[in-house]
Amino acid sequence: GFFKNSVRISLAIYGVCTMLSWAIKLWEEHTSQEGKYADLASGFIAQYTSPTMLLSGIALFVIFANLSLPRPMEKAIKLISPCAFGVYIIHAHPLLWDRLITYRYAHFIEHNPLVMMLLVLLTALIMFVLFSAVDFIRLKIFNALKIRQLLLKIEAKLTGGM
């Protein structure tokens, strides 16, 4: 039915957007050597706000929304998924991104592709666990300070108790 087709269409959209992003990035790198179209892809196509990234995100959302997983895997995902946004916010913060992440791992490219891939995955896993722990601590502090209740009171006052 509709959902099977929407997953297939979403997979196709994701694949096309990914290939298009890479093709434009490669084209930009090739033409920027000649001084033309400098930073088109790095300034636009590779950004989170580019049309290909937006469509890819929507396609992935549709794909994952229609997944049916075994119960243990579903429980594991429900356990770690609340951390994902916190991990994103922490790692995307300019202080961390500019001082601790950017170019820090460029030396991975000196290894063979398999070792490089394992280093990238291990680094991503370590960052996810570390930043999840930071977000977990933030959540505990917010709970101890009753931030949610405070925000609900502020919301009620601002909206007139609607």
Side-chain angles (χ1 to χ4, degrees):
F2 173 76
F3 290 112
K4 277 193 175 183
N5 288 336
S6 66
V7 170
R8 287 185 183 132
I9 291 168
S10 295
L11 281 169
I13 290 170
Y14 180 75
V16 167
C17 287
T18 302
M19 288 186 283
L20 185 61
S21 294
W22 275 102
I24 292 171
K25 177 75 173 149
L26 292 172
W27 172 79
E28 184 271 339
E29 287 174 357
H30 172 73
T31 57
S32 69
Q33 292 171 358
E34 300 166 12
K36 302 177 195 170
Y37 312 109
D39 293 330
L40 172 68
S42 59
F44 179 65
I45 290 298
Q47 298 283 326
Y48 290 129
T49 55
S50 78
T52 55
M53 295 296 172
L54 179 63
L55 284 173
S56 293
I58 293 169
L60 284 175
F61 176 78
V62 170
I63 292 165
F64 285 105
N66 289 298
L67 270 183
S68 56
L69 301 169
R71 191 81 177 123
M73 189 179 278
E74 200 174 293
K75 285 177 119 177
I77 289 171
K78 285 181 179 179
L79 179 69
I80 64 170
S81 64
C83 301
F85 186 65
V87 168
Y88 166 75
I89 292 295
I90 293 168
H91 102 276
H93 189 280
L95 179 65
L96 279 170
W97 188 261
D98 294 343
R99 305 213 181 223
L100 298 176
I101 297 175
T102 302
Y103 304 117
R104 175 74 52 166
Y105 306 100
H107 68 290
F108 287 178
I109 202 162
E110 297 168 1
H111 300 282
N112 72 55
L114 181 61
V115 172
M116 182 179 70
M117 182 181 70
L118 290 172
L119 286 170
V120 167
L121 291 174
L122 182 62
T123 302
L125 178 64
I126 290 169
M127 284 185 186
F128 185 83
V129 169
L130 181 66
F131 297 156
S132 292
V134 169
D135 194 52
F136 180 77
I137 293 167
R138 179 209 52 87
L139 184 62
K140 291 296 182 191
I141 292 170
F142 276 35
N143 286 343
L145 296 174
K146 299 184 184 331
I147 299 292
R148 181 173 174 76
Q149 293 87 333
L150 176 64
L151 291 174
L152 288 172
K153 285 179 185 177
I154 292 170
E155 178 187 11
K157 285 194 187 274
L158 291 175
T159 60
M162 296 170 89

